[in-house]
Amino acid sequence: MAQAKTAASGKAKLSKKELREQAQARGRLYSRLTWGAIGLAALAALGYGGWQIFRPKPGVNVAQMARTHIQVGDEHEPYNSDPPTSGPHASAVEAGFYTAPVADENLVHNLEHGYVVIWYNCSGLESSACDDLQQRIQGVMDRAGSAGALGGPSKLVAVPRPTMDVQVAATTWGRILKQPTLDERELLAFIKDFRNKAPEGTAS
């Protein structure tokens, strides 16, 4: 008890000036800590922004072919990639998930409008494994959301392509991503990086 009283009396002996100086010192410390935290947050944001700008983008570029308008079934020069990424095209199809093949000529028109086409290959897979692959691709499409900041169409099409040499491919105008097996994170990054980036990317 005596010790407690001594400590208390020692505190009481601090002058108003000393107490004010202590309060000011604490205020300076809190201020430095606050600004330090703000600085660290700003550096982290800059680092993340720089990484987004300079990080390697998924997929590879493919030389762009002429944007010739044709009808499905018309003869035309062969596409320079499989699946196609540009070239002669017919009318576009609606966004969505397809379980039956769609003509390349239709889908290339979607690419011209800034769509991402996801091609999947279930050949060699059991029925349950194909269902799982389709569900996972649909999940990526759901996470990608709409193509515009204010909503609107997704500009995403998924179609089967059993002749591919990989399980999944994704295309935009002039670019292709091939995946031996589905990598959901990479596919989502491809969509976010390249959707709407096409000669008529503002078209619906």
Side-chain angles (χ1 to χ4, degrees):
M1 268 319 250
Q3 287 181 351
K5 285 183 179 179
T6 303
S9 62
K11 261 189 176 179
K13 287 180 181 178
L14 291 174
S15 67
K16 290 182 178 179
K17 179 181 178 183
E18 289 170 327
L19 291 171
R20 186 168 59 252
E21 287 175 347
Q22 283 186 354
Q24 289 173 346
R26 285 195 298 270
R28 287 192 295 270
L29 176 61
Y30 294 151
S31 178
R32 284 195 293 270
L33 290 173
T34 299
W35 283 108
I38 292 171
L40 286 174
L43 284 174
L46 285 171
Y48 178 76
W51 167 247
Q52 289 299 311
I53 293 170
F54 297 110
R55 68 177 170 81
K57 299 293 192 290
V60 295
N61 289 328
V62 179
Q64 297 181 21
M65 300 176 66
R67 297 188 288 140
T68 309
H69 287 265
I70 61 171
Q71 298 296 319
V72 174
D74 289 353
E75 288 190 10
H76 61 81
E77 60 182 320
Y79 293 116
N80 62 354
S81 66
D82 180 22
T85 55
S86 64
H89 52 272
S91 57
V93 299
E94 291 186 3
F97 199 104
Y98 292 77
T99 56
V102 177
D104 287 351
E105 291 83 357
N106 296 123
L107 294 168
V108 171
H109 199 162
N110 287 82
L111 298 178
E112 185 187 39
H113 286 187
Y115 278 64
V116 173
V117 178
I118 303 165
W119 318 73
Y120 61 93
N121 179 7
C122 279
S123 64
L125 294 180
E126 298 289 339
S127 178
S128 58
C130 182
D131 290 343
D132 179 66
L133 176 63
Q134 291 174 329
Q135 289 171 11
R136 291 172 63 200
I137 292 172
Q138 183 65 67
V140 173
M141 295 168 71
D142 292 341
R143 292 198 296 277
S146 64
L150 301 177
S154 68
K155 287 196 173 183
L156 297 174
V157 175
V159 293
R161 193 175 186 86
T163 59
M164 290 193 304
D165 59 357
V166 291
Q167 188 179 86
V168 176
T171 55
T172 57
W173 189 266
R175 194 170 182 89
I176 189 169
L177 168 69
K178 288 191 171 186
Q179 297 182 330
T181 57
L182 175 61
D183 181 331
E184 296 175 41
R185 182 178 297 182
E186 184 182 47
L187 178 58
L188 183 59
F190 184 86
I191 293 169
K192 291 184 174 181
D193 284 336
F194 298 107
R195 185 167 50 182
N196 287 328
K197 293 181 180 178
E200 298 180 12
T202 57
S204 58

